[in-house]
Amino acid sequence: MLTIPQEMMKVILPFVALFSETVWDYAQILLMGAILAPGKRTVSAVLTVMGLKDDPQYQNYHRVLNRAKWCGLTASRILLGMLVQAFVLLNMPIIIGVDETLERRKGDQIKQKGVFRDAVRSSKKYLVHSFGLRWVSMMLIVSVPWSSRTWALPFLTINAPSEATNKANGKRHKTSIDWIQQMVCLLRRWLRGRALVLVTDGALTAVKLGLTCGAFRQPVTWVSRMRLDACLYAWPEKQPKSKRGPKPKKGKRLPSLQDHLDSRDTKWQKTEIDWYGGRKYTVEYATGKALWYTPGFDPLPIRWVLVRDSTGKYEATAFLCTDLKAKPLQILEWFILRWNVEVTFQEARAHLGLETQRQWSDLAIARTTPVLLGLFSLVTLWAYQLTKDKPFPVRTSAWYKKKEPTFSDAMAVVRRHIWFGLWGKYIESAPNPDYVLIPNSVFNGLVDSMCYTT
């Protein structure tokens, strides 16, 4: 049976305290099998690749997910600490991206499923809804040594059912923004003393999230896209002490961002920014400070940045930041980093079998997808440890020259280390009459194909 190599075991040792001795043994097998298994990441597929398909006690491996006692939040905190220690310098802010993804699932026994907009299959003209589970994932956005683009590494993922699903199950409904508020509170407690920047998309923008980020003793900087018709106000004028009644929280109404966009008096500045795909792109921007107000909540102080494309290729977009001292270009840079969250979701589907799991138990469902997304971060961390002070191997061919490693190469590094550790152990054992010698080129070709199977 395969065992985790010592170099990789050192990385996951902090998780030992979460499990009992027996469950830890089963968890290690599931972990390594999820890395090596091609295609679906079901428990049966994991046991097959690990050589345990004939084990009569296979139900013990299912129980790690649907019955065993271990805390996913504690695992998230441990994983985050490891990622921050490996990839974030002490004097640098910790940038966190948050977004939703839909795991398409069907089945009467899946109580948490609902009907959601399918962002992957929808377009501006065509709206598609799918059955599935909605997940809100929080990711650490960092630079890795082998890539010019930043990577988004998941560490905390929570299921956010629809209002109809919660009503049918007799549970109090929480929106995705409510869940993010709770996640930010956890994050601020886990990373005391560190500067935090939270980046969300326009669908996850609300005044109450900004107020939550600013309520901490050490506020969390929040960056997001905002609507052009948002209600903006000036700061209230100073009231004389003799005036009775409550003090006003906002001043006079200011022009909306759409008004700034249409006005000829708006002062635009032209600049070149780092665009998606590592390109440079020239845009024009205007900026200002205001109070963003929504009925039922206190006004939120923000710096807004309005961006337009002079060529007309892209629509004008507005962004907000709760740090009034932040520079406009820094705000744009933070928001552009959010795109790496989408890349992570796609890579997890392509190489870690996200959406292929088939658990029906409520607890197993709540654990499996967060574990698979967390595995993305673990594989990246393992690849980082295994390639320190070494060139990162990249799969190339005569007809395709790959410029930089991607997650498939990181998976191949980890898989190769596991397989070579196994073969090296058996090659050193006694000679086997059934052993067949093959050329190194063929052997490496087989290994390469096995490591890059998705």
Side-chain angles (χ1 to χ4, degrees), residues 2 17 37 65 68 76 79-80 125 136 183 232 256 269 282 311 369 372 404 406 409 416 420 423 442 448:
L2 294 175
L65 297 172
S76 295
L79 178 59
L80 175 60
K125 298 181 179 180
V136 179
M183 296 164 80
L232 301 180
S256 69
Q269 301 181 55
T282 301
T311 64
T369 298
L372 284 179
E404 292 184 345
T406 59
D409 298 293
R416 192 186 300 271
F420 268 109
W423 282 323
V442 177
D448 195 60

Side-chain angles (χ1 to χ4, degrees), residues 171-188:
K171 294 184 177 180
R172 181 170 63 90
H173 177 61
K174 292 183 183 178
T175 64
S176 295
I177 293 176
D178 293 331
W179 283 112
I180 294 174
Q181 287 179 273
Q182 286 189 245
M183 296 164 80
V184 170
C185 292
L186 279 174
L187 187 65
R188 180 71 282 176

Side-chain angles (χ1 to χ4, degrees), residues 201-245:
D201 198 8
L204 300 173
T205 302
V207 168
K208 62 180 180 180
L209 177 56
L211 293 174
T212 298
C213 291
F216 300 107
R217 180 177 300 177
Q218 184 180 7
V220 175
T221 300
W222 176 45
V223 177
S224 185
R225 194 194 304 266
M226 70 180 302
R227 293 171 59 99
L228 295 177
D229 59 353
C231 297
L232 301 180
Y233 291 83
W235 271 262
E237 297 180 0
K238 189 176 182 180
Q239 300 293 312
K241 294 182 180 179
S242 59
K243 187 174 182 180
R244 297 181 178 181

